């Protein structure tokens, strides 16, 4: 999941920019946890790769293994190691947690703006 912000204004507010960065990071962190809850798991390398390669501050989540894309699209999932494992785990997480992600973003942004 990637967040992009396009601000079309000559007004630049350092506090607003910092609040946006904090909100993106908080939301990305929550989204990564939720996505990995549904991520397929055998030895844990796929989930570990998301912790190594994701850019939390930039809002970019990545699973980087030679088989990551195949496993993401493969239509079945073993559930012996992760009973919640699912194909297209990020889509499942978004379906199940989108409202929570919106709240995390709003709360983190509001909190940062009020500092």
């Amino acid at each position: 999941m990637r967040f992009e912000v396009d601000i079309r204004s000559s007004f630049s507010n350092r506090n607003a920019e910092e609040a946006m960065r904090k909100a993106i990071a908080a939301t990305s962190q929550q989204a990564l946890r939720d996505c990995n809850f549904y991520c397929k798991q055998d030895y844990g390398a796929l989930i570990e790769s998301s912790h190594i390669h994701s850019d939390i501050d930039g809002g970019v989540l990545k699973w980087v293994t030679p088989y990551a894309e195949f496993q993401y699209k493969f239509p079945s999932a073993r559930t012996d190691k992760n009973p919640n494992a699912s194909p297209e785990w990020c889509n499942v997480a978004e379906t199940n947690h989108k409202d929570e992600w919106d709240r995390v973003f709003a709360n983190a942004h509001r909190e940062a703006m009020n500092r």
Side-chain angles (χ1 to χ4, degrees):
M1 178 180 202
R2 184 173 179 172
F3 300 95
E4 292 186 20
V5 179
D6 184 8
I7 301 173
R8 297 179 188 267
S9 172
S10 60
F11 176 77
S12 178
N13 183 322
R14 187 175 295 208
N15 290 340
E17 290 172 6
E18 182 63 23
M20 185 64 70
R21 280 193 291 277
K22 288 183 178 187
I24 288 170
T27 306
S28 297
Q29 200 166 38
Q30 183 63 49
L32 184 62
R33 274 194 298 270
D34 293 336
C35 289
N36 279 334
F37 182 77
Y38 301 103
C39 185
K40 296 177 183 180
Q41 187 173 1
D42 190 11
Y43 294 102
L46 193 55
I47 291 172
E48 183 64 26
S49 78
S50 71
H51 295 287
I52 294 168
H53 297 284
S54 292
D55 175 11
I56 297 299
D57 292 337
V60 178
L61 308 182
K62 293 182 183 179
W63 288 259
V64 181
T65 65
Y67 50 84
E69 184 176 3
F70 174 80
Q71 285 297 328
Y72 190 77
K73 296 292 184 181
F74 193 71
S76 66
R78 289 179 31 201
T79 56
D80 55 330
K81 299 215 175 153
N82 179 1
N84 304 299
S86 175
E88 298 190 13
W89 52 85
C90 288
N91 289 338
V92 173
E94 182 179 17
T95 297
N96 293 334
H97 300 281
K98 174 91 170 69
D99 291 341
E100 181 182 352
W101 297 349
D102 290 342
R103 281 191 302 276
V104 167
F105 184 90
N107 290 341
H109 189 268
R110 183 174 40 257
E111 182 179 313
M113 287 296 290
N114 290 331
R115 287 187 177 174

